[in-house]
Amino acid sequence: MNIGEASAASGVSAKMIRYYEEIGLISPAGRTASNYRVYDADSVNRLRFVRRSRKLGFSLEETERLLKLWDDKERASAEVKALALHHVEELETKIAEMQAMRDTLSHLAERCQGNDRPNCPILADLEGRPLRKKHRRETGGQGLLRGLTLPLWEG
């Protein structure tokens, strides 16, 4: 099947298929005499594997490691489990960071009057301006967003 058919069958865009080939995540497709890519059922299965792995938030490096483990019929499932559990820990950290961001922004939005006046605690906190006494007591003298580790997302 051609790249469009492989894309439809796997759920991976043609652009991403070419990218995965370029970085070596999947093997380059065979070529026809007119130089069109040709994919077989195994290639489509690998693309589905990659798509599912990425949807679960595994990095490209982790996905590559999972593919190698999938290919290794002598593998120990303990290694696969350890990789998955490590990823769960990373997800839990990201979830906690996002909950903290949500809580902070909700608190700041509650304090914002949302009227025609220019005063806005959301912008003041982002800027790092000193906060009023009551708010300094609540946050230990710091703005709510300072010190918060923001997650980095892969695109």
Side-chain angles (χ1 to χ4, degrees):
M1 68 182 75
N2 66 31
I3 195 166
E5 294 165 331
S7 174
S10 66
V12 177
S13 72
K15 182 178 180 177
M16 289 307 295
I17 292 172
R18 286 190 284 277
Y19 175 68
Y20 292 153
E21 286 180 6
E22 182 183 318
I23 64 170
L25 190 61
I26 61 170
S27 298
R31 299 284 183 151
T32 65
S34 53
N35 208 29
Y36 286 104
R37 288 177 168 89
V38 179
Y39 297 89
D40 58 15
D42 183 53
S43 297
V44 172
N45 284 339
R46 293 182 79 73
L47 288 167
R48 284 186 190 122
F49 186 101
V50 170
R51 179 176 177 262
R52 180 71 176 142
S53 175
R54 299 292 287 148
K55 285 240 178 233
L56 289 172
F58 285 101
S59 69
L60 289 173
E61 294 80 15
E62 290 167 327
T63 299
E64 182 177 27
R65 182 69 192 129
L66 287 166
L67 277 169
K68 287 178 182 174
L69 289 167
W70 187 44
D71 289 337
D72 181 3
K73 303 307 177 205
E74 307 272 323
R75 72 184 168 264
S77 64
E79 191 173 351
V80 179
K81 182 177 181 175
L83 185 61
L85 290 176
H86 177 72
H87 186 61
V88 168
E89 289 174 13
E90 290 174 340
L91 290 173
E92 287 172 349
T93 298
K94 287 179 183 179
I95 289 167
E97 289 171 347
M98 292 186 79
Q99 287 172 333
M101 286 187 284
R102 178 202 59 212
D103 294 346
T104 297
L105 290 172
S106 292
H107 177 77
L108 290 170
E110 286 172 11
R111 294 190 60 244
C112 181
Q113 297 298 315
N115 55 22
D116 294 336
R117 301 188 76 194
N119 295 347
C120 179
I122 300 166
L123 295 177
D125 190 85
L126 291 172
E127 182 183 342
R129 271 193 263 154
L131 302 171
R132 293 190 338 236
K133 270 187 187 178
K134 178 182 175 192
H135 187 62
R136 275 198 303 261
R137 268 195 317 271
E138 293 170 359
T139 63
Q142 296 185 8
L144 291 174
L145 293 179
R146 273 183 291 297
L148 181 65
T149 304
L150 301 178
L152 298 176
W153 298 100
E154 289 188 24

